[in-house]
Amino acid sequence: MTGSPIAVLDIDGTLVDSNYHHALAWYRALRSVGEVHPVWRLHRLIGMGGDQLVAAVGGEELERRAGERARERQGKEVDSLLEEMAPLPGARDLLAAVKERGHRVVLASSAQQRHAEVFLDKLDARDLVDDWTTSADVDASKPAPDLLRAALKKLGAPPGAPAVMVGDSVWDVEAAKRAGMPAIVVRSGGFGDDELREAGAVALYDTPGDLAKSLDDTPLACVVRGAPNAVPRTRESTGRAPWWRNWGRRW
């Protein structure tokens, strides 16, 4: 399996239904340090790593003054919400289907170690994945590409190894673009189709289960066949103009 193609999957929000919990946790955490920001605005940043979110919502002054305290409190708030988080429909089916097609699977999570362990157990995924990352593996998380590169490094993959990213946010797509990977997106991140396509997503699906059912018509299938510029036989699930026309030039 050393040279087999790689599927890099986000956990938080892509496989586990956690985005809105994280938005609430950040609201509570920031309020604890005297900052009140609308939950909808915080939601727009979920998928971005916590090392970057505080400055994104409140500027560098807030990061210097309260960034570490806010992140610590946010982690504790997430602890209290973990029981309410559940796998998204077909999440484990997707992991199993990807493995059955010959991919190595690595989960690229910027979650804290204790949260990532809980998510792995909720997905019953330890026997399906080859490795996973946590926030401890990188200095800069998404939209920086470091987390995806760390995920590949976990598998000993050389630069330019065939790999595809599966995520749920524009931040995942941006990180994949910077890492030189195509990105497939599930809509659980709550972003609009147009902004996901504008960011560079090559295919969109409602749930991980929907992607699993269409797996042979996605960029994952192209990479498995060893032909990243190959043209799948059917249209991408949105029914719009085929995404693969420009894929070879873009990726």
Side-chain angles (χ1 to χ4, degrees), residues 157-241:
V164 176
M165 167 71 180
V166 180
D168 66 283
S169 72
V170 294
W171 314 113
D172 291 321
V173 178
E174 180 63 29
K177 186 188 304 181
R178 296 184 188 183
M181 301 178 193
I184 302 169
V185 178
V186 292
R187 294 184 173 97
S188 49
F191 290 87
D193 287 7
D194 288 347
E195 59 189 327
L196 289 166
R197 289 192 185 95
E198 185 177 349
V202 297
L204 306 174
Y205 294 88
D206 280 351
T207 69
D210 292 327
L211 172 55
K213 293 173 185 176
S214 302
L215 204 58
D216 293 326
D217 301 320
T218 71
L220 286 170
C222 296
V223 176
V224 166
R225 290 194 291 266
N229 295 326
V231 177
R233 291 187 296 274
T234 64
R235 293 168 67 91
E236 180 258 309
S237 66
T238 61
R240 298 182 62 168

Side-chain angles (χ1 to χ4, degrees), residues 10-215:
D10 174 56
I11 305 176
D12 248 341
T14 300
L15 299 176
V16 175
D17 191 5
S18 60
N19 283 321
Y20 296 92
H21 304 80
H22 279 292
L24 181 58
W26 275 113
Y27 174 82
R28 292 172 175 172
L30 289 165
R31 189 168 180 174
S32 76
V33 297
E35 292 283 324
V36 178
H37 296 272
V39 177
W40 74 264
R41 193 175 297 279
L42 295 169
H43 165 253
R44 299 284 300 171
L45 299 174
I46 300 304
M48 177 183 290
D51 58 308
Q52 301 189 54
L53 187 145
V54 176
V57 74
E60 292 298 333
E61 187 279 330
L62 176 60
E63 169 60 35
R64 289 191 297 270
R65 174 168 55 84
E68 288 302 320
R69 286 188 292 140
R71 280 185 285 276
E72 182 179 358
R73 180 60 179 266
Q74 195 266 352
K76 293 177 180 177
E77 294 290 347
V78 171
D79 290 342
S80 70
L81 294 168
L82 285 171
E83 184 63 30
E84 300 177 27
M85 300 179 192
L88 285 156
R92 194 177 191 280
D93 293 340
L94 174 59
L95 294 174
V98 171
K99 286 294 287 186
E100 288 169 2
R101 285 160 174 77
H103 280 287
R104 287 176 288 167
V105 177
V106 58
L107 303 182
S109 174
S110 56
Q112 297 180 33
Q113 178 69 37
R114 66 184 187 275
H115 298 158
E117 295 284 344
V118 171
F119 296 150
L120 284 165
D121 290 338
K122 284 179 180 286
L123 291 162
D124 189 22
R126 293 177 188 271
D127 62 330
L128 290 176
V129 302
D130 295 282
D131 216 323
W132 60 87
T133 68
T134 70
S135 57
D137 290 312
V138 293
D139 293 325
S141 59
K142 293 176 283 191
D146 303 30
L147 200 65
L148 304 189
R149 291 171 178 164
L152 296 180
K153 189 175 181 180
K154 289 257 185 179
L155 302 188
V164 176
M165 167 71 180
V166 180
D168 66 283
S169 72
V170 294
W171 314 113
D172 291 321
V173 178
E174 180 63 29
K177 186 188 304 181
R178 296 184 188 183
M181 301 178 193
I184 302 169
V185 178
V186 292
R187 294 184 173 97
S188 49
F191 290 87
D193 287 7
D194 288 347
E195 59 189 327
L196 289 166
R197 289 192 185 95
E198 185 177 349
V202 297
L204 306 174
Y205 294 88
D206 280 351
T207 69
D210 292 327
L211 172 55
K213 293 173 185 176
S214 302
L215 204 58

